[in-house]
Amino acid sequence: MKILVTGASRGIGRAIAHAIARPGREIHVHARSIEALAETEELCRATGADIVRHAADLSQPSEALRLASELPDLDMLVNNAGVSGTERLPWDITPEEFDATLKTNVLAPFILSSAAARSMLDRGGFIVDLSSGAAVTDRADSADYWVSKTALMRLGGSFHEAGHDRGLKVFEVAPGVVQTDMTLSMRMHDGRSEWTDPSEVAGIIAAIADGELDGLAGTHIRAGVDTLDELRARAARGVGSGERRLRLTPWGA
Ligand code: NAP
């Protein structure tokens, strides 16, 4: 099984790469520089998996395209690399800042998912997007980030609708609130004392890689809220067409 985890140099991406690494698996880890991946490689190699490092700045579409072309036959793609928002009110965000967040958080996953999906159709494969509560809520600041995560989730929905019948399994996985460089840099988390353990999101994504959650393809999963046992039971039961999707809510709901 050949798996790419973007943004695996630290934080949640490193935890995911480690959790899915098994003997017989080829784990491709990515960040902006090869050097930044040294610790992740060491950690994952100890599991017996084969590890390959890739560098690409995903704020540059040409680099995302190059990374996609390096891996034409993935079995699983984890779109984890991402940047946080500006933490300013919408009218104080510059078009350049807005565009930069969207390029890394949406355009790059679009490029990587498109390439991966083309090779997975009728062969089978998994695409996992690192979603967020931001995908399904409104907030006054950081419109660039909130918009990016909503768009990413909608993109996942498109891939699901287009490819599920042909073997594509797409998951939106929100990690809870994990203490990482990203959250530590955000004012909204100042003084926070409760964090989601990264093993929760990594465990869910490992279960996806093992095929245990196929029945939940196309849904939004929330680490820190959904337990693996519940998710396994729901996967066996199957989900209704409107469950855990981004949809119009009725008045008064
Ligand atoms: P993090 O600690 O800041 O790590 C971000 C990762 O993305 C790093 O490996 C970084 O690599 C990579 N990255 C950033 N900009 C990049 C670029 N332009 N090109 C290529 N790689 C880039 O973040 P995290 O908290 O682990 O978040 C991981 C994902 O989970 C993100 O998509 C985030 O939106 C999502 N998320 C996190 C939380 C949370 O509680 N932490 C909550 C909701 C959603 P280098 O800097 O080494 O290149």
Side-chain angles (χ1 to χ4, degrees):
M1 195 173 183
K2 197 167 174 175
I3 306 175
L4 169 63
V5 182
T6 67
S9 56
R10 49 197 158 91
I12 294 169
R14 178 184 286 168
I16 294 169
H18 185 232
I20 60 176
R22 310 267 162 80
R25 281 191 181 160
E26 214 177 274
I27 310 295
H28 294 257
V29 290
H30 153 272
R32 275 172 292 195
S33 77
I34 292 287
E35 298 73 36
L37 291 160
E39 230 176 286
T40 302
E41 170 164 359
E42 198 183 325
L43 187 70
C44 296
R45 204 175 282 291
T47 67
D50 290 327
I51 312 296
V52 185
R53 296 192 238 172
H54 299 261
D57 180 352
L58 295 182
S59 68
Q60 307 298 318
S62 58
E63 297 242 332
L65 283 162
R66 179 181 52 74
L67 178 63
S69 71
E70 285 172 15
L71 293 159
D73 52 354
L74 286 176
D75 299 296
M76 178 166 177
L77 164 67
V78 183
N79 284 312
N80 168 79
V83 288
S84 60
T86 52
E87 297 205 278
R88 289 200 299 282
L89 297 176
W91 43 81
D92 292 330
I93 301 170
T94 68
E96 292 74 24
E97 288 168 333
F98 193 89
D99 183 52
T101 305
L102 272 284
K103 278 210 175 82
T104 305
N105 291 7
V106 186
L107 186 57
F110 164 72
I111 290 168
L112 293 170
S113 296
S114 297
R118 278 192 287 270
S119 79
M120 290 172 182
L121 290 177
D122 304 322
R123 179 172 67 91
F126 303 96
I127 295 176
V128 179
D129 294 324
L130 265 289
S131 186
S132 167
V136 291
T137 52
D138 293 314
R139 188 176 166 84
D141 64 30
S142 297
D144 51 327
Y145 184 78
W146 255 245
V147 167
S148 76
K149 289 300 178 182
T150 307
L152 182 65
M153 184 178 180
R154 201 43 116 189
L155 190 63
S158 288
F159 278 98
H160 171 72
E161 292 293 326
H164 187 249
D165 289 350
R166 295 179 62 186
L168 195 61
K169 286 165 280 243
V170 184
F171 300 82
E172 304 301 302
V173 182
V177 187
V178 180
Q179 191 172 29
T180 64
D181 291 348
M182 179 182 285
T183 44
L184 289 174
S185 73
M186 295 163 77
R187 276 197 317 274
M188 68 179 277
H189 296 304
D190 281 354
R192 176 182 285 277
S193 57
E194 290 194 4
W195 301 92
T196 315
D197 193 297
S199 66
E200 295 204 38
V201 63
I204 289 169
I205 293 174
I208 291 172
D210 290 340
E212 291 184 69
L213 304 184
D214 285 2
L216 299 181
T219 65
H220 192 239
I221 293 171
R222 299 171 67 204
V225 175
D226 300 325
T227 67
L228 252 182
D229 284 345
E230 281 165 7
L231 292 169
R232 287 190 184 107
R234 286 187 191 284
R237 189 201 74 189
V239 288
S241 61
E243 280 188 278
R244 282 295 179 92
R245 307 284 172 84
L246 188 55
R247 294 278 187 272
L248 185 68
T249 55
W251 295 114

